[in-house]
Amino acid sequence: MFQKILIANRGEIACRIAKTARRLGVKVAAVYSEADRNALHVQLADEAVFIGPAATSQSYLVIDKIIDAAKQTGAQAIHPGYGFLSENADFARRCQQEGLVFIGPSAETIETMGSKSAAKTLMEQSGVPIVPGYQDTDQATGRLEQEAKRIGYPVLLKASAGGGGKGMRLVENGADFTAALDSAKREALASFGDDRMLIEKFVPRARHVEVQVFGDQSGNIVHLFERDCSIQRRHQKVIEEAPAPNLPAAVRTHLYDAGVKAAQAVDYVGAGTVEFLYDGKDDVYFMEMNTRLQVEHPVTEQITGIDLVEWQLRIAAGEPLPRSQERISIQGHAMEARIYAEDPRNDFLPSTGTLSTLILPHHSTRIDSGVAKNDTVSPHYDPMIAKMTVHGATRDAAVSALAQALDETRIAGVETNTHLLSSIVAIPAFQRGEVSTRFIDDHEAELFNKPDDGFGPYLAAVLWLKAIRNPQGESSPWNELQGWRMNGPAEETHWLTIDNQPVLFKLITDGNGYVANIDRTATAAKRRAGTNLDAPLEIRFSGQCTANQGSLTLNGQTKKFDAAPHKNGLRLWYDGIPFDIAIANPLSPSAQGASAEGSLVAPMPGAIVSLLVTEGKDVAAGETLLVMEAMKMEHAIKAPQKGKVLAFRFQPGDQVKEGDLLVDFKEGS
Ligand code: MV4
């Protein structure tokens, strides 16, 4: 076994690899960028090497810096984790030239599998089923069009160099072919610098099933069963499980056989994943092979009891596969959910900020995370906060455990997909194992509808404000804003923002409860409460609250809630459902009305991609003014209302900070 390895990664996967290495008595050297000085993966390592600025192109992706770090620390091997340099054939080759062990397959294997068309051709020759299609070198438009017709519409265009759905287009009929081809090629060229295309018959409502394989240096190959990763959003997996539900026994056997055959065809060494499309009936088709450890490997670890990183290290060190196929078996069912810092209601835009609250379940749940409370989610890296993996005797048990784990999660300071994940797990079709790649689209209404929040969360927020501003009755600067009368019922005032309007809550103690008197002019509040807009709004309620939890009784119903500071307001989990409530500062001018400027600032740090209108131009509400790129995604900045673009403050290529004003804009026309 190695004495020391270098982990060329960060975040949860770097932490996960470090834990296994240390358990095996292998010393761990980490690398870290400027943004990661205090990161968990650095704390878990025996030593760490600084490799430069936060931007990955200047740190984690620089081959020379990683090789230097390995030499400097005397590491014998490099574990690339996933992402970054993990599927970079040049890097694997360079390790070899420098006398370092790359923990993964050969550079040739990485190269072959890196080209979708080369991989498909090889798989076809090796007897692995592939989706009927065209993956040859002749890329003339006429030829591609002719092949699409032969295959039969609908077809899917895929970038040969691609992945993650980039450069992918569904073409329903011949009339749309050339336009779709042009746009797919353009996207592929921009993303991969390579616009070669392959064409496939479209498999409707496909499922994504993948086989975990392992090979050793003597040519032995085994599989560790399959995972189902069909629940995805924008080609990003969000829930994975093992084994795949509702998979007929014959399909399962066929799948393992195809996975092992694929690995054999490239003399596979180490951990690999062979991805297949399953048509939901009798057929599976090879899609691609990932020549690395996958994010979702914990579900396989849970059902097999095997530490996949340990196997990777042993195999890279020259040991044989630790177990033969007969000695690898499935125990129960495992499910993983990925918690991301992103906003599902805003097109899954990544959300940066400080994890001011981070409470993850600790009973019967495996947590893989690379962050701690008060760490920041930066725009430079993948916004995954944590993976939670549960294991049950049956799939039903795993579903319940995952539901509970998600319900116990409390994160504030950034937006997260936690509630979306809870909603997915609550859908009966999911509970029956009826998953497909269209699952999130098919259940959009149930998954994204804003819950009917009524007035409860706002009154809970008032109780919370009361608790944090005056915990033991001592005075605080906030109390100075509050009315005070010598003889009369105690009256407090609290401001909250409802539908972008500041709303005044006057709170009068009345017996064991309170009467909230809500500002007559607060039309948004009244609309929410469903009252006559002219009537004074008085609500009787009772409840109690500490700094982080409370209960509220309204209309005879009592609801519990948890609360935490969130950005400039608070996040409430009212009856288990998260609500974000902004606290209005009655003294600030922006509280006088919704700020039109708000949407013309950079929502996160990034770079300006393009300016879409000329300065001085009149624009309609919602018209896209410019495009910026942040966290590897393009984001359109739109006119908040009808108006005129006076000036752009930045040019394409400029870097902008979160909150930077991007456009001088005049409302009206
Ligand atoms: C497909 C497909 C249907 N038919 N190929 C490939 C890359 C991946 N991110 C999406 N891919 C698909 N390839 C054929 N011939 C459907 C998808 C697909 C998908 C696959 C797995 C999981 C989620 C998906 C969501 C949309 C489309």
Side-chain angles (χ1 to χ4, degrees):
M1 182 45 70
F2 306 113
Q3 260 108 54
K4 189 189 281 185
I5 61 164
L6 180 91
I7 301 175
N9 216 301
R10 63 176 305 283
E12 63 90 14
I13 193 61
C15 295
R16 191 258 162 276
I17 296 163
K19 283 176 194 159
T20 291
R22 297 188 60 137
R23 181 171 62 73
L24 297 175
V26 176
K27 290 251 183 294
V28 171
V31 291
Y32 65 97
S33 73
E34 187 63 54
D36 283 339
R37 284 187 185 281
N38 302 312
L40 224 47
H41 80 274
V42 175
Q43 295 172 34
L44 279 173
D46 296 291
E47 59 191 307
V49 180
F50 176 70
I51 51 165
T56 55
S57 62
Q58 295 179 66
S59 51
Y60 295 103
L61 287 174
V62 183
I63 293 177
D64 283 336
K65 290 187 177 184
I66 303 296
I67 299 284
D68 286 350
K71 294 200 158 166
Q72 192 183 318
T73 54
Q76 298 147 294
I78 302 183
H79 197 309
Y82 55 71
F84 294 150
L85 296 170
S86 62
E87 293 181 283
N88 185 314
D90 293 338
F91 179 62
R93 202 170 282 123
R94 181 71 188 283
C95 288
Q96 198 186 0
Q97 288 162 358
E98 303 281 350
L100 295 159
V101 175
F102 173 80
I103 301 174
S106 70
E108 293 70 41
T109 300
I110 297 175
E111 229 147 42
T112 305
M113 288 304 184
S115 159
K116 277 211 176 97
S117 4
K120 276 189 79 177
T121 304
L122 178 64
M123 290 305 127
E124 189 171 32
Q125 290 163 356
S126 312
V128 177
I130 61 169
V131 192
Y134 173 80
Q135 63 272 349
D136 224 331
T137 47
D138 183 355
Q139 293 283 309
T141 302
R143 174 70 187 275
L144 294 176
E145 195 165 6
Q146 184 192 329
E147 293 292 342
K149 197 169 167 194
R150 175 186 62 81
I151 295 160
Y153 289 98
V155 300
L156 207 54
L157 296 170
K158 293 185 181 179
S160 179
K166 282 246 173 79
M168 192 165 95
R169 293 288 182 283
L170 175 62
V171 193
E172 305 271 6
N173 55 61
D176 301 336
F177 187 83
T178 41
L181 180 67
D182 282 351
S183 112
K185 281 182 139 183
R186 226 179 301 122
E187 193 173 297
L189 193 62
S191 307
F192 316 111
D194 179 342
D195 66 358
R196 283 173 291 178
M197 288 286 143
L198 53 88
I199 311 173
E200 286 182 0
K201 179 85 189 158
F202 177 66
V203 181
R205 295 194 174 273
R207 279 171 57 180
H208 173 127
V209 291
E210 57 184 34
V211 181
Q212 176 70 54
V213 294
F214 259 96
D216 66 17
Q217 297 186 27
S218 312
N220 303 302
I221 306 273
V222 292
H223 70 80
L224 274 64
F225 311 104
E226 83 284 14
R227 297 180 285 258
D228 188 302
C229 313
S230 300
I231 309 281
Q232 307 192 357
R233 58 96 186 138
R234 294 230 234 105
H235 305 296
Q236 176 83 258
K237 297 164 186 167
V238 288
I239 295 181
E240 305 100 339
E241 59 183 296
N246 306 324
L247 200 62
V251 176
R252 187 161 268 142
T253 313
H254 183 48
L255 180 70
Y256 301 152
D257 184 53
V260 169
K261 245 190 212 156
Q264 280 164 342
V266 286
D267 301 319
Y268 202 81
V269 176
T273 295
V274 191
E275 297 188 340
F276 294 89
L277 281 175
Y278 169 45
D279 68 0
K281 297 190 275 291
D282 302 321
D283 290 308
V284 290
Y285 305 102
F286 172 87
M287 238 191 325
E288 59 188 87
M289 181 171 191
N290 297 319
T291 54
R292 54 168 161 81
L293 190 68
Q294 304 260 114
V295 179
E296 61 273 22
H297 76 277
V299 291
T300 299
E301 295 189 320
Q302 298 289 314
I303 61 159
T304 59
I306 292 170
D307 180 328
L308 268 55
V309 173
E310 176 178 344
W311 277 36
Q312 286 189 295
L313 295 178
R314 292 194 182 286
I315 288 161
E319 293 182 29
L321 282 167
R323 287 194 210 175
S324 61
Q325 191 69 65
E326 307 75 63
R327 293 185 50 237
I328 306 167
S329 61
I330 298 185
Q331 301 293 322
H333 200 101
M335 220 170 250
E336 175 188 272
R338 301 188 192 183
I339 311 283
Y340 281 97
E342 65 182 15
D343 187 355
R345 290 226 188 83
N346 188 6
D347 217 13
F348 296 99
L349 188 71
S351 172
T352 56
T354 300
L355 290 160
S356 50
T357 296
L358 179 63
I359 300 171
L360 299 171
H362 42 271
H363 295 297
S364 329
T365 306
R366 166 176 168 174
I367 302 290
D368 286 81
S369 177
V371 290
K373 179 174 149 67
N374 291 325
D375 278 358
T376 48
V377 178
S378 93
H380 298 285
Y381 310 115
D382 185 274
M384 191 165 73
I385 298 170
K387 305 186 294 205
M388 43 181 81
T389 311
V390 296
H391 186 207
T394 60
R395 187 175 187 275
D396 284 348
V399 169
S400 310
L402 185 60
Q404 187 177 341
L406 290 163
D407 278 353
E408 289 172 7
T409 300
R410 297 284 180 263
I411 300 171
V414 297
E415 302 311 314
T416 82
N417 66 339
T418 313
H419 187 62
L420 171 68
L421 295 170
S422 285
S423 309
I424 293 172
V425 173
I427 288 181
F430 177 83
Q431 296 178 353
R432 292 192 298 267
E434 291 164 9
V435 292
S436 89
T437 52
R438 290 205 36 90
F439 189 89
I440 292 183
D441 295 323
D442 284 352
H443 297 276
E444 203 171 331
E446 296 143 274
L447 294 175
F448 295 92
N449 267 353
K450 206 167 186 252
D452 180 12
D453 42 0
F455 234 99
Y458 291 94
L459 296 172
V462 167
L463 287 178
W464 182 80
L465 281 173
K466 196 172 147 58
I468 61 151
R469 287 181 184 158
N470 203 358
Q472 266 92 46
E474 78 259 29
S475 69
S476 80
W478 286 96
N479 292 348
E480 289 162 23
L481 287 171
Q482 299 178 359
W484 185 84
R485 268 178 281 167
M486 187 78 88
N487 306 304
E491 182 184 293
E492 298 173 28
T493 63
H494 297 285
W495 290 84
L496 294 176
T497 301
I498 300 184
D499 297 345
N500 285 323
Q501 284 180 37
V503 174
L504 176 66
F505 288 73
K506 278 189 190 150
L507 204 60
I508 298 162
T509 306
D510 177 30
N512 294 326
Y514 305 97
V515 178
N517 237 296
I518 296 168
D519 187 337
R520 288 182 62 85
T521 61
T523 52
K526 288 180 187 163
R527 231 175 265 125
R528 180 171 299 273
T531 69
N532 176 343
L533 294 187
D534 295 324
L537 186 50
E538 269 195 7
I539 304 178
R540 273 170 198 281
F541 68 102
S542 62
Q544 45 79 34
C545 188
T546 67
N548 45 37
Q549 60 185 353
S551 70
L552 176 91
T553 303
L554 179 65
N555 304 327
Q557 274 199 320
T558 300
K559 301 239 158 117
K560 287 193 173 160
F561 60 88
D562 293 330
H566 175 67
K567 305 204 165 186
N568 296 322
L570 82 153
R571 176 163 288 173
L572 277 172
W573 290 267
Y574 184 78
D575 216 12
I577 300 170
F579 294 93
D580 290 348
I581 296 187
I583 300 168
N585 178 352
L587 304 179
S588 106
S590 68
Q592 306 309 318
S595 163
E597 219 174 68
S599 51
L600 291 173
V601 300
M604 61 182 63
I608 302 299
V609 175
S610 52
L611 308 177
L612 297 183
V613 301
T614 47
E615 291 180 350
K617 186 175 178 276
D618 290 317
V619 293
E623 195 171 333
T624 300
L625 307 180
L626 65 92
V627 177
M628 64 175 285
E629 189 191 77
M631 299 184 94
K632 296 180 192 144
M633 280 183 21
E634 293 201 343
H635 182 62
I637 304 289
K638 296 176 176 167
Q641 49 190 274
K642 191 173 156 151
K644 189 196 278 287
V645 171
L646 302 176
F648 287 106
R649 299 219 170 182
F650 296 93
Q651 293 304 309
D654 286 352
Q655 295 287 326
V656 295
K657 297 193 300 294
E658 179 173 357
D660 273 350
L661 180 63
L662 303 174
V663 186
D664 289 316
F665 188 78
K666 186 165 162 271
E667 294 156 26
S669 52

